[in-house]
Amino acid sequence: MPGPLTEDDNASHGWVLPLLALCVALLLILAVVNHWAALQARLADLGTVQLGLLASLAAGLFTAVGALPVMVLSRIRRRVEDALMGFGAGVMLAATAFSLVLPGVDAAAVYTGHTLSAALLVGAGIALGGLFLLACHRYVPHEHFIIGPQSGADPEKMRRIWLFVFAIALHNFPEGLAVGVGFGTGDLAAGVALTIGIGLQNMPEGLVVAVAMLTLGYSRWTALGVALLTGLVQPVGGLFGAAVVTLAAPLLPFGLAFAAGAMLFVISHEIIPESHRKGHEGHATLGVLVGFIVMMVLDVALD
């Protein structure tokens, strides 16, 4: 996730609205848990492709919801920003483990008949997912807010805003892919938990991206629009992932593993390094722990 060039830590009260947004998200989780039986009955009538598309769209829209405070907020404290980025990384780590890797091993064991073979198959899928994202980052021109142009990106030839959009799209596509593939297991609880988890980490991401756009001189509406646009990349990945595992059911274990590898690449290559770049490693690590716990509890609550 590209991180912004925010103002210094004397920025006033930048933590209030981000924490408020997270509280709203947690209340949403409680509402889903309390009404899970009714929601499950409604979702049971939908096909895998429909579920993958709608769920990844919902998760992507959380990016714009998280960015809404940018309409009244100009900056956030650096330590808060890093903690929010860490929170997103923690959610993604738990989602990768509980909603992608473990179901992937179980699904692979059905086809291979052997646990070790299943683990090796999932390991290969994780590796290929990571390598795919590595290739995308190497060959797709994009620009990060902190480390600048990548892969030969030339701001003189392409508007910088599109370079930023490409960078964030490289981050969001595997998340949508994970949601779409996640419903291929037929486990509605796991799919909904993954959707909420991805949506939850999209909220601070949307805010961080929108604030970054403000610091680069873009208007508030443009910042909000970019956050929305980047979130809409996720249903593209969700539709693709759900369609693939529906048309070729034996690819489900590999699809889960591939999505897991792509997510791990994003966590290690982007989120954690950028959350540690400004000297607030402790806040970022605390965010990782909180995010991991929240996602773990959500996964268990819906099981």
Side-chain angles (χ1 to χ4, degrees):
M1 176 173 61
L5 299 175
T6 54
E7 300 293 332
D8 63 34
D9 283 349
N10 292 323
S12 60
H13 308 298
W15 55 270
V16 176
L17 289 176
L19 292 184
L20 179 61
L22 289 181
C23 289
V24 171
L26 292 175
L27 290 175
L28 174 62
I29 291 174
L30 292 175
V32 170
V33 172
N34 289 333
H35 297 85
W36 174 234
L39 179 61
Q40 191 174 27
R42 291 179 177 274
L43 295 179
D45 295 331
L46 300 178
T48 299
V49 174
Q50 290 175 299
L51 286 169
L53 176 60
L54 293 176
S56 56
L57 175 61
L61 290 177
F62 271 73
T63 306
V65 173
L68 284 175
V70 80
M71 302 307 293
V72 295
L73 184 69
S74 298
R75 52 185 180 264
I76 56 177
R77 293 177 183 271
R78 287 180 176 176
R79 62 171 64 94
V80 174
E81 174 199 332
D82 291 340
L84 290 174
M85 294 174 70
F87 178 85
V91 169
M92 290 177 69
L93 279 171
T96 299
F98 298 123
S99 300
L100 295 175
V101 173
L102 293 181
V105 172
D106 291 340
V110 173
Y111 292 103
T112 63
H114 195 277
T115 304
L116 179 59
S117 299
L120 291 175
L121 175 62
V122 170
I126 291 173
L128 286 177
L131 290 174
F132 172 76
L133 259 290
L134 177 62
C136 288
H137 275 259
R138 180 165 296 179
Y139 296 111
V140 176
H142 60 285
E143 181 172 354
H144 292 274
F145 291 109
I146 291 178
I147 59 179
Q150 301 290 298
S151 307
D154 187 353
E156 298 298 325
K157 295 181 179 179
M158 183 182 298
R159 292 187 62 185
R160 293 186 71 192
I161 191 171
W162 289 110
L163 294 176
F164 294 136
V165 169
F166 291 159
I168 304 166
L170 290 175
H171 170 93
N172 283 344
F173 182 84
E175 295 175 7
L177 178 68
V179 172
V181 173
F183 280 99
T185 63
D187 187 344
L188 282 177
V192 171
L194 181 60
T195 301
I196 295 175
I198 295 298
L200 186 59
Q201 76 89 30
N202 278 344
M203 292 184 70
E205 174 183 295
L207 178 60
V208 169
V209 168
V211 171
M213 299 303 296
L214 288 185
T215 66
L216 293 170
Y218 292 100
S219 70
R220 295 182 187 276
W221 283 107
T222 299
L224 182 62
V226 168
L228 174 62
L229 180 61
T230 56
L232 293 179
V233 173
Q234 292 192 358
V236 176
L239 178 61
F240 177 78
V244 168
V245 298
T246 298
L247 295 174
L251 290 179
L252 175 61
F254 187 81
L256 289 166
F258 186 91
M263 293 258 283
L264 288 173
F265 178 89
V266 170
I267 296 166
S268 177
H269 187 75
E270 296 183 26
I271 302 180
I272 291 179
E274 294 196 2
S275 68
H276 286 211
R277 199 177 294 272
K278 302 160 194 169
H280 301 300
E281 294 88 347
H283 292 78
T285 301
L286 179 61
V288 170
L289 294 174
V290 173
F292 191 95
I293 292 170
V294 168
M295 184 62 202
M296 179 194 68
V297 172
L298 173 62
D299 191 77
V300 172
L302 294 181
D303 193 358

